Amino acid sequence: MVKAYHAVGAAVAIVKDGRGIYSKGFGYRDLESKLPASDSTAFHIASMTKAFTGSLLGILESEQQLTLQDR
């Protein structure tokens, strides 16, 4: 993915049943200094939280824990 999107680096974590089952950093957290990314590197994700929130609301509605008409 780093190569495909020409990204400098990325951190990936997979959680299943509340437990981390995989985490790894790829590429660099600082390209100029050649500092590698790790599984705990924090990257700015900008407006991606809006997509996460929308997805979560859809999941909760499908599990009948709320409706999108709720306030």
Side-chain angles (χ1 to χ4, degrees):
M1 196 166 97
V2 171
K3 286 181 184 178
Y5 290 99
H6 306 286
V8 174
V12 175
I14 299 173
V15 178
K16 182 177 181 182
D17 298 327
R19 289 189 40 225
I21 60 171
Y22 176 86
S23 63
K24 186 173 180 176
F26 300 90
Y28 297 99
R29 60 185 162 110
D30 183 330
L31 183 60
E32 288 180 18
S33 301
K34 300 289 189 206
L35 298 173
S38 73
D39 60 349
S40 61
T41 299
F43 289 94
H44 295 282
I45 61 170
S47 293
M48 288 301 300
T49 55
K50 295 172 189 167
F52 295 147
T53 301
S55 297
L56 177 60
L57 289 172
I59 291 168
L60 291 173
E61 184 179 50
S62 71
E63 294 176 351
Q64 299 178 344
Q65 295 186 29
L66 60 77
T67 70
L68 294 179
Q69 278 64 44
D70 289 345
R71 291 182 162 249

